[in-house]
Amino acid sequence: MPDLTARAWECLNRARVTLNGRTLGVRASVDDTREKLNYDHCFVRDFAMCAPAFLLHGESGVVRDFLLTTIRMQAHTRRLRTFEPREGILPASFRPVPGESGTVLDADYGEESIARVTPIDSVFWWMITLRAYTVASGDTELANREECQEGIRRILRLVLEGSFEMFPTLLVPEGSFMIDRRMGVYGHPLEVQALFFMALRAADELLVGGDGLREAARERLRNLRMHVARFYWIDKDGLARLREETPDQFGEGVVNIYNVFPESIPDWVDDWLPDGAGYLAGNVGAGRIDFRFFAQGNLLAVTADLADDSEAHSLMNLYEARWRTLVGEAPLRLVYPALEGEAWRVVTGADTKNGPWQYHNGGSWPCLLWAFAPAAVAAGRMELLKRAVETAEERLDREDWPEYYDGRNEPRPGNRARSFQSWSMGGYLYARACLEDPAAADLYRWAERVTPEEATRT
Ligand code: GLC
């Protein structure tokens, strides 16, 4: 087999976005056979998944330049104006364009994106990447710079203040993260909560002083931990308890807080979920548990310790027992199961790119190796990581590093997938690095635990 690491680097290098001779990031993909749309932009989330490859490859300066470039794009508008990004928001993506006096960077905060979706997750990816940079390089000067400290404070104010709700989870609109199309992921999607948790941990570590913001972040961390453990975790015992719950309870001290009807438990869950296994639900809110399995949120929860040790083991048991479904021949499945038939039509708005077992709706994404690797290390399941990496090596390069795969059982490069997709290479490179040296997972792990706070009010 050719040296795939060298080959992945060769392809990733072609995607570099440069300005004045310095690399600031990578384009989402380098594929001249398809319409570019915004795939020639550097996406914050896509680069965040490539960042560890650069950090572990002696190129921490690239990550540093990316972090400074993006924080300088943070929205500063103090007045509340419509059609302008709120203070603290970071763009989804940017690209160099010719300006009046030389090249300038043009950023998209969602105002140009398909369906005008807001990139809630960019602020979290930035914070997580700043922390990974600090751990890998040992350079604390960057995080301590006033512009980064002010960036952290703005982000914390944006996400900790201002909500109609009293819950520790974050309420977000449809398509505001990696799944940036209509997929029924509005509300309190797990992936956003896991990124939020991880970013708060990073902020707690990196913030110097902070006008009570650090205390607010810590309290939120403890409450978020308690809330997710209590309401998102699903296993056989939890399902049995749910089936006994009575609806329409009012007042304090009730059990069925969210008024979930047992009849909403889908048929597939019982057969699919083995004993000794479990996972975190995709979304929880009023009258709603989304029972679909979302890989990224589950894996990040294990890595950042939003899930405890026993949950981490149960999740990896699920991966082992349902390997064919969740990993298969093209690691890894983004969401399981797919929305089909009438549910697909109603929930996605008949989105043909998100047809059943395609793209976000049950497709498989190599970039998820980025999240699988530290989670497998955290749960002590290196053999599963080995298996996933070796499976990816069978085909990723041969098939030109597709953005995603379509198909329920026999995956094929996605119908509308780009080739030479940067985060497919970045995810692979990081997973390989973790396999060779599990200490590489420390970029996204913490030695201490967050102790959940007992709910004072429900
Ligand atoms: C698609 C994906 C999004 C990604 C972008 C660039 O819009 O849904 O998650 O960031 O492409 O790769």
Side-chain angles (χ1 to χ4, degrees), residues 52 56 131-132 135 198 302-304 370-380 382 385 430-447:
L56 298 170
R131 195 269 183 169
V135 172
M198 221 175 192
V302 168
T303 304
W370 171 86
F372 190 75
V377 173
M382 294 303 285
L385 177 56
Y430 181 51
R432 222 317 127 211
C434 287
L435 189 57
E436 277 157 26
D437 178 8
D442 293 348
L443 299 187
Y444 303 100
R445 296 187 64 206
W446 279 263

Side-chain angles (χ1 to χ4, degrees), residues 28 39 43 45-46 177-178 180 359-360 365 403 421 423:
Y39 281 89
F43 277 74
R45 69 175 76 88
D46 295 39
F177 56 106
M178 176 185 173
D180 54 1
Y359 197 46
H360 300 134
W365 292 65
E403 176 189 13
Q421 181 82 12
W423 65 2

Side-chain angles (χ1 to χ4, degrees), residues 71-77 85-91 109 154:
I71 204 61
R72 287 171 187 161
M73 292 174 176
Q74 189 175 37
H76 288 195
T77 335
R86 294 281 189 277
E87 184 181 8
I89 285 197
L90 288 177
Y109 298 82
R154 280 205 183 95

Side-chain angles (χ1 to χ4, degrees), residues 175-376:
S176 57
F177 56 106
M178 176 185 173
I179 300 178
D180 54 1
R181 294 169 85 93
R182 193 170 146 204
M183 268 278 289
V185 288
Y186 60 91
H188 309 84
L190 176 66
E191 179 169 331
V192 170
Q193 314 313 323
L195 285 169
F196 181 31
F197 187 81
M198 221 175 192
L200 286 178
R201 298 207 72 174
D204 180 28
E205 197 173 299
L206 300 173
L207 193 64
V208 181
D211 317 326
L213 279 171
R214 169 178 292 115
E215 291 67 29
R218 285 192 179 158
E219 190 191 327
R220 192 71 175 255
L221 274 168
R222 291 193 299 271
N223 281 322
L224 188 55
R225 177 83 161 67
M226 177 276 298
H227 185 93
V228 169
R230 177 165 178 198
F231 295 110
Y232 283 68
W233 184 251
I234 294 174
D235 58 14
K236 279 266 157 82
D237 290 348
L239 286 175
R241 276 197 304 276
L242 256 176
R243 289 213 158 82
E244 286 162 15
E245 301 219 324
T246 34
D248 296 346
Q249 303 177 336
F250 175 78
E252 288 192 26
V254 303
V255 183
N256 192 355
I257 307 274
Y258 283 115
N259 204 31
V260 173
F261 285 75
E263 293 76 7
S264 68
I265 303 173
D267 294 340
W268 59 267
V269 186
D270 279 300
D271 289 343
W272 186 69
L273 190 58
D275 290 331
Y279 67 101
L280 294 164
N283 218 315
V284 175
R288 175 188 194 195
I289 295 180
D290 183 342
F291 288 88
R292 283 176 293 171
F293 177 88
F294 289 76
Q296 178 99 299
N298 270 285
L299 295 168
L300 290 180
V302 168
T303 304
D305 194 33
L306 175 58
D308 66 19
D309 284 347
S310 103
E311 289 165 353
H313 289 299
S314 300
L315 179 75
M316 285 298 159
N317 290 344
L318 180 63
Y319 264 104
E320 189 173 27
R322 295 285 173 253
W323 190 263
R324 190 165 156 70
T325 316
L326 296 180
V327 186
E329 288 161 33
L332 290 105
R333 179 97 54 203
L334 182 61
V335 176
Y336 177 86
L339 296 162
E340 301 186 75
E342 188 61 5
W344 163 76
R345 208 181 60 80
V346 172
V347 177
T348 71
D351 181 347
T352 52
K353 189 165 180 181
N354 267 335
W357 307 104
Q358 292 173 31
Y359 197 46
H360 300 134
N361 187 18
S364 297
W365 292 65
C367 65
L368 292 175
L369 287 165
W370 171 86
F372 190 75

